[in-house]
């Protein structure tokens, strides 16, 4: 999605204290049909007025609000903007173009608008850091009719009455089904065409619940073909956000200044926290639940602050920022200005470390290793800067710019010309992200109230993923999980754990370690891909959390080949005589679950005066030789089917 790091610059200023969420409703523009939803609504939804700052012609597109059909909540709607792949493809009649795919893209949050993805990732228009708007050559609607949808109700331009915000993810799934039911009434060909549900981040929670709702419906409104989850929050917070930290350090030793001693320290913490799962291919038993151990960081007012309510722009990062700030205020971090040099700070930290916490779980951070590593980098590692979270980008590790360049379509969306053209509500302003009020309340208790960090009371999809995946096989629905190698917030190892902890086709996890390289259309190394029993895993080299933002051309090839297509690269095949082969081969580039970025540059300075820190080759070489031995211990436990 759009760089949420940027978004956070205005965080504190934008927080508005509010106890009940707003009551919002769709706007009826001139020409709204008086009849129930049907193809005659296409004329109403078609975007025909000029859009401010858009100077390029767009394919025919449609936008507006559609009811979610929730009883007692007539104002609960989802806002969509859909683009034709080619002239007439969306206007097709029932039964036409029945082989042609269509897709929906969802961003996460929870409470983030999918138009962040539209404008920064895979939409036909991209916003620049000067707020101008340019075409995106790699828009996903070039490959399929594509919709960007704000959801759950109340997010972005989607509306909800004050008591109509979703109480949980099952209601979210039902709302989405209601929306789909109405969408296919307006665009009847979609009912029969293969449907691809795609999204990222907290959509890793939404998508499994939507798929569950589809599988639970006797006559679903759409024909789901595949779903694809990028950098998804599908497992528990401990697994997707904290467990992978050592692997992030192994990928980017820049974070710890290539310091073996610090590495060993975090390795010890990782072990003490039970994060050092040893993946085997296939697995023999499900991993036990890994509880979140916050240490006293959980007492920090960050959580209490959030429950006081009100809107914030990025929940996903909001909490983190608060936590880091809280520690600084409490004097628990060494303030940058108090020490002459980073080297001195580093030594001080080490003294503190050896005297106090090695061998036991750090009492302050607990097992919140994400915050621990960020704090370390901000305070001790060049070129990150202490004191301001904006110098750290959990979504893309190599970005230490402070401030980052804005990529913010708020002005565009709230301009009356845009609003009228896309038939948006007038009862609310579009916001990049809201602090989502589950069950229409901002009050919840965390961490002990049976809800997650975001106030979502629903169990994480990992709990039912094996059942879902088994149903997916029965329904001929394929599954894709993909990750950007430079994402620190939902780092890829958590996704690999999620896959290895899932049983489908009667086997738990993949039977071989993902190790097959793939390449984009220019022949550039794109990462690795692995496919078994209709589950595909793709790791993108060089991409952050918002994969199509950082690697747009590669993401486009991925959509074409692996999502919409059935490219077999990385597919494990067994021949009748028992020989197992992998299409495209295995080159062991990924044997340690790490795609090293140890020699990559880190960017710092401001967005207009970018400097880059390129590690010395001797530093990288010394690290490489250290880590080769350091990781071997763990990988000795890795077994693969021969
Ligand atoms: C908008 O139109 C719908 C019918 O399409 C109607 O039910 C609703 O009352 C109208 N709302 C307003 C505010 O006029
Ligand atoms: C987009 O494609 C056009 C036409 O092929 C090309 O001229 C332009 O340079 C491309 N823009 C980018 C940003 O790649
Ligand atoms: C729905 O919105 C209309 C305004 O269009 C408002 O009059 C009505 O009270 C709202 N309904 C609810 C349940 O909030
Ligand atoms: C939502 O809140 C209502 C009270 O407003 C309560 O009765 C209901 O149990 C809550 N639902 C969930 C899922 O928390
Ligand atoms: C922490 O303790 C482990 C053994 O428990 C040791 O291997 C490691 O070197 C220690 N790390 C530091 C930074 O002292
Ligand atoms: C994984 O293997 C290492 C090395 O054998 C071991 O120390 C560690 O306890 C194992 N992890 C778990 C969760 O069993
Ligand atoms: C593994 O999956 C089971 C459900 O099958 C779940 O209860 C457990 O929490 C998961 N473990 C991890 C580490 O995700
Ligand atoms: C249009 O772009 C200019 C910069 O080129 C920007 O200042 C302005 O805010 C934008 N307006 C809208 C409505 O997006
Ligand atoms: C935009 O529309 C709203 C109401 O729809 C109105 O209050 C406001 O003045 C308009 N703004 C501009 C700049 O025209
Ligand atoms: C599958 O995708 C790979 C990677 O993009 C590409 O090199 C290859 O040509 C594709 N295979 C087929 C059969 O299209
Ligand atoms: C994978 O999906 C294809 C097409 O839906 C189906 O023919 C095949 O049986 C599936 N394979 C497995 C192992 O489920
Ligand atoms: C098994 O079959 C594959 C082709 O399907 C062949 O390449 C391989 O040599 C065979 N192996 C043995 C041991 O027969």
């Amino acid at each position: 999605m759009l760089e949420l790091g940027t978004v956070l610059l205005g965080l504190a200023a934008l927080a508005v204290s509010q106890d009940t969420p707003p009551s919002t409703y769709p706007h009826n523009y001139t020409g709204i049909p008086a009849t129930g939803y049907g193809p005659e609504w296409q004329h109403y939804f078609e975007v025909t007025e000029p859009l401010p700052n858009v100077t390029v012609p767009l394919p025919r597109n449609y936008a507006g609000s559609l009811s979610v059909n929730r009883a007692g909540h007539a104002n609960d709607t989802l806002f969509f903007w859909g683009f034709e792949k080619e002239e007439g493809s969306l206007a097709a009649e029932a039964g036409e173009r029945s082989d042609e795919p269509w897709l929906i893209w969802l961003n996460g949050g929870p409470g983030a608008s999918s138009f962040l993805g539209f404008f920064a990732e895979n939409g036909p228009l991209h916003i620049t850091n000067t707020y101008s708007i340019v075409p995106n050559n790699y828009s996903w609607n070039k490959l399929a009719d594509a919709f960007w949808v704000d959801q759950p109700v109340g997010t972005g331009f989607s509306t909800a009455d004050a008591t109509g915000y979703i109480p949980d993810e099952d209601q979210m799934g039902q709302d989405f089904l209601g929306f789909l039911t109405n969408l296919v009434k307006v665009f009847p060909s979609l009912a029969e065409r293969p449907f691809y549900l795609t999204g990222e981040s907290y959509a890793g929670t939404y998508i499994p619940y939507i798929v569950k709702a589809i599988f639970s419906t006797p006559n679903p409104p759409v024909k789901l073909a595949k779903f694809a989850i990028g950098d998804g929050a599908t497992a528990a917070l401990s697994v997707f956000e904290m467990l992978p930290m050592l692997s992030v350090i192994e990928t980017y030793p820049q974070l710890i200044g290539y310091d073996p001693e610090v590495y060993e320290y975090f390795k010890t913490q990782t072990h003490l926290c039970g994060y050092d799962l040893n993946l085997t291919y296939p697995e023999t038993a499900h991993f036990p639940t890994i509880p979140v151990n916050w240490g006293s960081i959980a007492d920090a007012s960050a959580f209490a602050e959030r429950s006081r309510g009100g809107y914030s722009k990025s929940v996903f990062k909001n909490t983190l920022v608060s936590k880091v700030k809280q520690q600084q205020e409490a004097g628990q971090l060494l303030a940058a200005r108090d020490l002459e040099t980073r080297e001195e700070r580093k030594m001080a930290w080490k003294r503190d470390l050896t005297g106090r916490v090695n061998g036991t779980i750090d009492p302050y951070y607990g097992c919140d290793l994400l915050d621990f590593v960020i704090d370390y980098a901000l305070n001790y590692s060049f070129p990150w800067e202490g004191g301001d979270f904006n110098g750290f980008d959990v979504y893309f590790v190599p970005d230490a710019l402070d401030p980052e360049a804005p990529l913010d379509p708020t002005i565009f969306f709230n301009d009356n010309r845009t609003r009228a053209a896309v038939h948006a509500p007038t009862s609310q302003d579009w916001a990049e992200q809201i602090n989502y009020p589950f069950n229409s309340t901002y009050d919840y208790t965390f961490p002990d109230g049976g809800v997650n960090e975001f106030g979502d009371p629903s169990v994480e999809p990992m709990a039912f993923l094996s059942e879902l995946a088994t149903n997916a096989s029965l329904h001929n629905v394929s599954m894709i999980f993909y990750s950007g190698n430079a994402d620190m917030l939902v780092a890829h190892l958590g996704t690999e754990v999620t896959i290895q902890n899932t049983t489908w086709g009667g086997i738990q996890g993949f039977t071989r370690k993902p190790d097959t390289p793939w390449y984009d259309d220019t022949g550039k190394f794109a990462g690795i891909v692995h496919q078994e029993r209709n589950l595909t895993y793709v790791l993108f080299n060089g991409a952050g959390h918002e994969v199509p933002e950082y690697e747009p051309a590669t993401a486009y090839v991925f959509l074409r080949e692996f999502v919409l297509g059935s490219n077999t690269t990385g597919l494990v095949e067994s021949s009748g005589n028992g020989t197992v082969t992998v299409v495209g081969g295995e080159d062991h580039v990924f044997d340690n679950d790490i795609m090293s970025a140890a020699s990559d540059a880190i960017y710092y300075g401001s967005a207009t005066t970018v400097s880059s820190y390129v590690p010395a080759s001797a530093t990288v070489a010394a690290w490489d030789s250290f880590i080769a031995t350091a990781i071997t211990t763990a990988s000795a436990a890795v077994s693969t089917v021969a």
Side-chain angles (χ1 to χ4, degrees), residues 52-53 130-132 411-412 415 417:
N53 284 356
T130 63
Y131 299 88
S132 65
I411 296 170
F412 170 81
D415 186 286
R417 291 165 294 176

Side-chain angles (χ1 to χ4, degrees), residues 507 510-513 516 529-535 566-586 641-642:
I507 299 170
F510 288 142
T511 62
R512 292 179 80 88
K513 183 185 277 290
T516 304
V529 58
H530 189 83
Q531 314 195 60
E532 292 191 43
R533 314 190 304 282
N534 292 335
L535 191 151
S566 308
N567 188 309
T568 56
T569 305
L571 180 67
V572 176
E573 291 179 320
S574 338
S575 63
N577 63 15
T579 309
V580 174
T581 53
V582 181
V583 178
E586 293 169 297
V641 171

Side-chain angles (χ1 to χ4, degrees), residues 9 81 137-138 144 168-169 197 211 232 256 269 278 333 346 349 368 378 380 391 423 459 545 553 583 606 615:
L9 286 169
W81 196 352
N137 281 355
Y138 303 107
D168 56 29
E169 297 297 337
L197 180 58
V211 172
I256 57 161
Q269 292 292 310
N278 297 301
L333 288 182
K346 196 193 258 180
W349 186 80
D368 180 6
L378 282 171
Y380 309 107
H423 316 108
V459 65
H545 186 72
V583 178
S606 83

